[in-house]
Amino acid sequence: MIDCFAGVGGNTIAFARSGRWKRVYAIEKDEYTVMCGKHNARLYGVDGLISWIHGDCFEVIKNQLAPLSPHSVVFASPPWGGPGYSTDPVFDLTTMQPYSLQRLLNSFQDVTTEIVLFLPRTSDLQQLANANTSEKKAKAVHYCMEGASKAMCVYFHLPRSL
């Protein structure tokens, strides 16, 4: 499991605690945030299952994790570009900042076929369907709390672009 945009480790720690993966690779651009993530992983007793990598996820996957990537799931909870996502009736994934949907999929598709994106609940489903280049359907799952959707994960099984 490769967690791009790992932040302070919320998803990374959950992946490690699940027991599903032998190792979780957590990539985070901000050095201080990596230190916080390592601390949090120690608190949850999973620090031995997580490899923290400080750097740009696109470069790290391409240059450091390439041998592992074909056998990995890439999970990304990318920045959404500010608070506008919460007021837009439909969130336009082509203008998501700093990385568009297409940039994310193209970059990750270079190294793996299994990609999961954590996105705003109002993400444009037509854009997600159009971005799917696989014969298999992408699966969008809304995550709800107290009866309201809070976010969605979209599961892609894409052909490698190499």
Side-chain angles (χ1 to χ4, degrees):
M1 168 60 75
I2 300 171
D3 184 359
C4 302
F5 314 106
V8 296
N11 292 314
T12 303
I13 291 166
F15 296 141
R17 292 183 75 192
S18 75
R20 172 146 185 179
W21 292 277
K22 292 179 184 176
R23 176 145 303 277
V24 178
Y25 296 88
I27 307 167
E28 174 54 47
K29 205 181 234 187
D30 181 73
E31 188 173 8
Y32 181 74
T33 303
V34 170
M35 291 182 345
C36 292
K38 288 179 178 182
H39 171 76
N40 291 340
R42 273 191 302 280
L43 290 176
Y44 281 91
V46 294
D47 50 317
L49 301 173
I50 301 170
S51 294
W52 288 90
I53 304 168
H54 171 236
D56 175 78
C57 67
F58 303 108
E59 293 299 316
V60 169
I61 289 174
K62 184 178 173 183
N63 297 321
Q64 295 178 36
L65 299 179
L68 301 173
S69 298
H71 311 288
S72 298
V73 173
V74 169
F75 174 86
S77 179
W80 298 340
Y85 75 88
S86 64
T87 58
D88 294 342
V90 177
F91 185 70
D92 185 350
L93 296 162
T94 64
T95 60
M96 186 167 58
Q97 292 296 319
Y99 314 109
S100 69
L101 171 65
Q102 209 54 58
R103 163 90 192 277
L104 294 167
L105 291 177
N106 288 346
S107 297
F108 300 147
Q109 193 176 357
D110 284 345
V111 294
T112 189
T113 61
E114 304 296 327
I115 302 166
V116 181
L117 299 179
F118 185 85
L119 298 168
R121 63 183 171 79
T122 58
S123 294
D124 190 320
L125 294 175
Q126 188 61 54
Q127 290 175 344
L128 290 165
N130 291 343
N132 184 24
T133 58
S134 173
E135 292 180 10
K136 294 183 179 184
K137 290 182 179 180
K139 183 177 183 179
V141 177
H142 279 268
Y143 290 92
C144 301
M145 291 177 62
E146 299 177 6
S149 176
K150 298 298 179 186
M152 77 165 67
C153 276
V154 184
Y155 299 82
F156 291 95
H157 179 83
L158 300 173
R160 296 239 352 239
S161 62
L162 293 178

